[in-house]
Amino acid sequence: MIKAILIFNNHGKPRLIRFYQYFAEDMQQQIIRETFHLVSKRDDNVCNFLEGGSLIGGSDYKLIYRHYATLYFVFCVDSSESELGILDLIQVFVETLDKCFENVCELDLIFHMDKVHYILQEVVMGGMVLETNMNEIVAQVELQNRMEKSEFVFISRM
Amino acid sequence: MALKIVKGSIDRMFDKNLQDLVRGIRNHKEDEAKYISTCIDEIKQELKQDNIAVKANAVCKLTYLQMLGYDVSWAAFNIVEVMSSSKFTYKRIGYLAASQCFHEGTDVIMLTTNQIRKDLSSPNQYDTGVALTGLSCFVTPDLARDLANDIMTLMSHTKPFIRKKAVLIMYKVFLKYPESLRPAFPRLKEKLEDPDPGVQSAAVNVICELARRNPKNYLSLAPLFFKLMTSSTNNWVLIKIIKLFGALTPLEPRLGKKLIEPLTNLIHRFLSSVIAVLISLSSGMPNHSASIQLCVQKLRILIEDSDQNLKYLGLLAMSKILKTHPKSVQSHKDLILQCLDDKDESIRLRALDLLYGMVSKKNLMEIVKKLMVHVDKAEGTTYRDELLTKIIDICSQSNYQYITNFEWYISILVELTRLEGTRHGHLIASQMLDVAIRVKAIRGFAVLQMATLLDNAHMLTGNTQRNGICEVLYAAAWICGEFSDHLEDPLQTLEAMLRPKVATLPGHIQAVYIQNAAKLFATVLRAQEGVPDSQKAQETSQLLIDRLPLFVQSANLEVQERASCVLQLVKYIQKLQQKEVAVAEEVSALFAGELNPVAPKAQKKVPIPEGLDLDAWINEPPSESESEDEKPRAVFSQEEPRHTRPRHTEVDEKELARRREARKQEQANNPFYIKASPSSQKVYPEVPGVEHIPVVQIDLSVPLKVPGMPMSDQYLKMEEERRQKEKEEKKKKEKKKKKEKRGRGRKHESGPESEEDITPAHTVDIVTEEMPENALPSDDDDKDPNDPHKALDIDLDKPLADSEKLPVRTHRPTDILKSPVEGAELESVSQEPKKKSKKDKKEKKKDKERKCELNLYLKPPDYGFMHLYIPTASGTTLSPLQSFAHSDKITKHLCFCLLQKFSKHKKKKQKKEKEDKKKKKRHHRHHSDEGGDESVQNGTVEEEEPLPVSIQSTTLALLSVQVYDIQGNLQDGSQVVVSVIFENKSTSFLKSMEFNVLDSLNSKLQRPDGAGPHDGLSVPFQLPPGVSNEARFVFSVQSIVMPQKLKGTLTFIVKSEESSTHEKLDFKLHFTCTSYLITTPCYSDAYAKLLESGDLKSSSVRLEGVSMSFHHLLARICFHHHFSVVERIDSCASLYSRSIQGHHVCLLVKTADQTVSIDAKCDEPSLLGNVLDEIKQTFSMC
């Protein structure tokens, strides 16, 4: 199970947070701060796994993260997930974002948090991996966006 | 209307959308909070509008603000409004917001049930998809129960997009509503072979999550997964399956062998699988040393790889192997130690973890020495603290198993105190205390070391924060005080403990200082009083009198109290000394007696004495008029004594808090009450004012090493020398031996030094921790009762009963309320008039006859057979013709057999069959005149002696009913589960079976909610000819000290081709006291304590003329009466058992010349009496 997915930038500003277990808002912020603190002090050439986040879970949980340019993508998972599998999944997610936003950059995430969420919903659902095939994810996201557009045209005509 | 819409859309043009909000926040970097609060005000205005588009926009912005940490739960109702929009765009916004901020405590979730159901069945697949995604994040037990059936239907949706989401969400539903697992499982299993890879992967995902926690229930799926593994190309699925096999192989070793080939194939295909394969292999195969060796070799290559991720995973896998094959990993110690130098903390931590499992008596000192070097080098405090805890963990693991020299360990601990800025002072302190208390031989050494520590306390007091290193002074002071006899110079230590600088230490440490200073004082007095010069003793008293006033002024109450106590005591002693009275004896008497260590869980294990109800009020609760109505009801409803462990209810806490509040109120209103005011704080400042304390100059020339401290390295060297010596001696001895016995010695010598060869430097007596008398032997302390997965430990192979079907909500509420039992009742009522005449006849018949009675005898279960009197049995008043006609048409023969659960074992089954055959023969002889194809079944599983069989029957067996298990429920001491197997032996179809028992005051059949006390329980299945099935009935039993009989009836309909008849049978259920006993193992020491406790009443019984062997006799008691043997010496044995309500039953069985005497003890005399009677009966029957 994935317990949380956090995306924040090099300064620890959250760009997307998705908890699959309930935490109150202030706790969520504390977790983001702690995770940022843990992840940001690590060099780029060390491994992508990190244990010891004290706020989520416990010994069964670890952080698996990737650092792309200005953004950190952090997944907090338990031992039922494969470490390399999750690393792969982060890559798939980022590539999907890249396709949907065309050369994704931090600004896309800042201004379209809702859209990033909709994409993520097609990858992970309720903490479990839903789809790992990028083409499938992109297809479903586009179909839904098209539907939204058709509705929007309808609404604006009114 | 149209105008309104136009107005709404014009308004919208002026509203901020999400992008505007983000831009705004970015432009207001300085006063972000202020800007956002104005935005929230705007959003509140927007939410008040009727236009759903405006609302949706507002909710979307709220979702963004939630990410920034703003609580948006106040808008929950608006979110629900947006969720229920008919437009996909808005619905999606609503569900996203809900998934981000709804949780189980959100009350508006209740309102969403119907909306979600509507969305789930929407013709638009994306509406359904959005609802599923949202629901997966905020599903509650109520939602799960109400929607389980809808979601299950979606698992067979035509669109794979919906199918995979429905499959995945089922896991969340199972977690919240475990009852849904069994009904949904067949369909879930089906989805493993779905044509769509996405759905397949989702199903694998769910089953893997389920199986991870309760693997044994999923063993039957292994072949299916095996097929998937060899055919699937999806990496993700493969990894999951391999992980699943990792969990399954320990349960089924044969699987491991089967897996080797496909797994090695996989290794060549994917890199990422390699790791998974290795991990699963390592946990999977118990006795495959060749492949384990291969694994470890491969892992070594991974660990040596430059890719840090692979290195990490290699170490991770290694630690999995370590658990099962420590030997094969230990040879790679060099590599692991090398990893400790890695720049990456994650890898260092992994390596540390591995080291923990690799230590042995032989290499402990060496490994710890390496770790100490790392401690010195480590930069970050987190890592250094981690190292410190690991060192202590490694040394103290499994009760100091690997420590051969405790002097070395103490000096390691002392060296660790030199660490600056550590947060684990408390940990070190507790280790010092633990070792000093439990290892008696080391006390002398430990005390000397602690005295040095106290002397150099200034080295440690730099860091006075909580849990800082100064905590060790707590331990040091206590050890020096408690074991002061070992001190070389107690006076000096006493002086060190009373230095003014001590007052800067945290309060709890000062308190210990003072208390132990008093102990030391006693020791010093004793030493000085023998000496003729009495002046010295008085000087010591004067020292205390001079120094203690400083502590009397302490802000800490504990310190203050102890200090003034001790001060007064010393003053009094001084007075006596001046009168030349010898006081040393009396002063030391103050501290006489030894303190023993107590096991950490001891308190929890103290059984609650009979009749003590911790929840009951001692006095009548005070009636408080102001809050009468909110008084919790639970307090009163629990007045009857409960045997289960009482919990500390929240109620009490609430009550306390309320009273506290009330008292504060009262105090505030009371003009005479002196409130806490700044002026009073001046007298007792909360924090000791630093400036008032005289500053002692720290001598900076002191080296950073505590002087006079033996370095642990010394011990390492010493130890090596000692071992070398021992080895040589051993060799000498072996040489001698070899001379004597040539052939045998050789093998020994060539092997490397084995574990057993290393003897501890001095014999160490590790005192075990004390447990309370008659502590309950239980190991389930560590299990988390709140684990949601515990509820999912469900047998999935059992056939599905009707009662387990998922609730389907229909539109009419009246239908919802109707429970299945009521439905059954209706049915039977409608049938009744038809058969009334027949029934009446039967009723009359019964009056004439001896009462038709089935005795379901739950005695020692395997003896338990039932007395069966059937109307058609010989010797009744039925005319032969009638009985013939009867037997021809519908013959009923109910045979309740009692089989012990052990009878499931094959051997016994075979024996039983043999016996049955024997008996059949006998019956044939007996009733040869009656002829016909009779089939007699009885439940005697007794191995040698046939029991008197009281089943006389000329009739054909129609229905065989076996009670095959009666189990007390250990979790609930008032429940007994009776498992009954119904087997249809006729050629007709049996249906509508209804099992009913006339409840007694003490025992009640548990019926579903809403059923009346006289309603029967419908057996949840029908029986086609030749089919058997099992049903369980739960009885609640209040008192278990007496055997009980319950009368009951079983009604059923026999349906043959031409007709159907309603049949009824009366029976008696006999619960013996033995059936409330549960075989519980007991250790002899706990057993002895139990007997010594004196809480048990005794009773005894003698059996004459028992000719069986003692071994056989014991086996018989254990088997039939659920005892376990604690200890056996010659012809005397002690046995133990426990009742479901926690009564201890102890037996002492002795035998001599065919006479067996049983002395028994139990905390409940009448239970004991009955059990003994039953034992007696067991032996009188043979």
Side-chain angles (χ1 to χ4, degrees), chain A residues 1 17-18 22 29 42 47-49 51 78-80 111 126 128-129 131 140 143 147-148 151, chain B residues 19 67 88-89 92 99-100 103 124 126 164 172 205 209 212 236 243 309 312 344 346 350:
Chain A
M1 285 272 283
I17 57 171
R18 171 77 276 197
Y22 172 70
Q29 295 302 312
R42 291 172 64 82
C47 75
N48 300 74
F49 317 115
E51 293 161 63
D78 70 8
S79 63
S80 76
F111 285 107
M128 294 200 285
V129 179
E131 185 61 66
Q140 294 298 349
L143 274 170
M147 210 177 128
E148 194 176 298
E151 269 184 3
Chain B
Q19 280 76 28
M67 179 178 81
F88 171 74
T89 316
R92 186 153 80 155
S99 70
Q100 286 291 76
H103 54 95
N124 180 347
Y126 291 109
K164 70 181 176 193
K172 293 275 173 160
N205 216 332
E209 280 293 339
R212 195 163 75 98
W236 191 264
K243 281 216 165 204
N309 284 340
Y312 175 88
D344 186 348
S346 289
R350 279 271 127 239

Side-chain angles (χ1 to χ4, degrees), chain B residues 394-423:
Chain B
I394 285 174
C395 292
S396 64
Q397 67 175 306
S398 37
N399 209 8
Y400 309 103
Q401 189 193 346
Y402 299 118
I403 295 185
T404 50
N405 186 338
F406 276 91
E407 286 188 14
W408 165 81
Y409 186 45
I410 294 269
S411 34
I412 285 285
L413 287 175
V414 172
E415 270 178 55
L416 284 175
T417 61
R418 281 185 295 150
L419 275 186
E420 262 177 81
T422 180
R423 286 179 295 110

Side-chain angles (χ1 to χ4, degrees), chain B residues 933-950:
Chain B
D933 38 2
E934 60 175 5
S935 137
V936 176
Q937 241 214 334
N938 62 52
T940 51
V941 209
E942 186 37 45
E943 288 166 32
E944 280 94 45
E945 304 85 356
L947 283 170
V949 180
S950 61

Side-chain angles (χ1 to χ4, degrees), chain B residues 353-615:
Chain B
D353 227 30
L354 268 171
L355 275 182
Y356 175 78
M358 286 172 68
V359 289
S360 62
K361 278 183 183 165
K362 201 172 108 186
N363 62 16
L364 176 73
M365 284 184 166
E366 183 193 344
I367 287 182
V368 170
K369 185 189 162 195
K370 291 235 168 85
L371 289 180
M372 293 299 281
V373 173
H374 281 283
V375 170
D376 288 342
K377 279 198 296 187
E379 316 102 38
T381 43
T382 357
Y383 179 60
R384 203 163 50 180
D385 279 355
E386 185 65 32
L387 270 171
L388 189 150
T389 42
K390 265 282 136 43
I391 290 176
I392 288 178
D393 275 358
I394 285 174
C395 292
S396 64
Q397 67 175 306
S398 37
N399 209 8
Y400 309 103
Q401 189 193 346
Y402 299 118
I403 295 185
T404 50
N405 186 338
F406 276 91
E407 286 188 14
W408 165 81
Y409 186 45
I410 294 269
S411 34
I412 285 285
L413 287 175
V414 172
E415 270 178 55
L416 284 175
T417 61
R418 281 185 295 150
L419 275 186
E420 262 177 81
T422 180
R423 286 179 295 110
H424 291 296
H426 186 71
L427 186 65
I428 302 174
S430 66
Q431 280 292 303
M432 286 172 169
L433 283 172
D434 199 41
V435 171
I437 293 168
R438 292 175 57 194
V439 187
K440 280 187 180 147
I442 203 69
R443 280 181 194 166
F445 180 79
V447 166
L448 294 182
Q449 289 296 310
M450 294 305 126
T452 333
L453 259 186
L454 285 179
D455 226 17
N456 298 291
H458 57 276
M459 308 277 313
L460 306 171
T461 46
N463 174 6
T464 46
Q465 78 190 61
R466 197 155 179 76
N467 253 334
I469 199 65
C470 61
E471 290 283 333
V472 297
L473 292 174
Y474 176 100
W478 192 87
I479 291 171
C480 284
E482 185 66 22
F483 308 120
S484 48
D485 295 342
H486 298 279
L487 277 175
E488 273 170 0
D489 187 359
L491 188 58
Q492 192 198 338
T493 313
L494 180 62
E495 199 273 327
M497 277 166 81
L498 292 169
R499 282 177 198 156
K501 186 120 203 299
V502 171
T504 58
L505 289 171
H508 66 284
I509 299 176
Q510 287 184 53
V512 170
Y513 262 65
I514 290 165
Q515 188 71 15
N516 286 287
K519 289 183 198 170
L520 273 176
F521 176 59
T523 317
V524 173
L525 271 190
R526 221 168 0 160
Q528 289 175 342
E529 229 158 52
V531 184
D533 181 15
S534 67
Q535 202 53 41
K536 259 197 166 172
Q538 286 195 30
E539 273 168 21
T540 317
S541 305
Q542 194 54 46
L543 173 74
L544 262 79
I545 291 168
D546 289 346
R547 297 280 176 89
L548 278 173
L550 173 64
F551 299 101
V552 175
Q553 290 164 14
S554 169
N556 189 300
L557 277 183
E558 184 77 19
V559 178
Q560 200 185 84
E561 194 184 357
R562 290 191 193 206
S564 45
C565 238
V566 173
L567 184 60
Q568 289 312 315
L569 181 76
V570 176
K571 278 183 181 165
Y572 181 65
I573 289 169
Q574 201 188 28
K575 251 185 221 165
L576 289 174
Q577 281 174 333
Q578 280 159 1
K579 289 179 195 164
E580 313 239 321
V581 182
V583 286
E585 274 307 308
E586 273 132 62
V587 176
S588 0
L590 280 176
F591 306 106
E594 199 174 342
L595 293 172
N596 287 327
V598 175
K601 282 171 189 162
Q603 181 65 45
K604 227 167 70 184
K605 294 211 171 186
V606 178
I608 287 175
E610 189 81 12
L612 173 65
D613 182 3
L614 293 177
D615 289 340

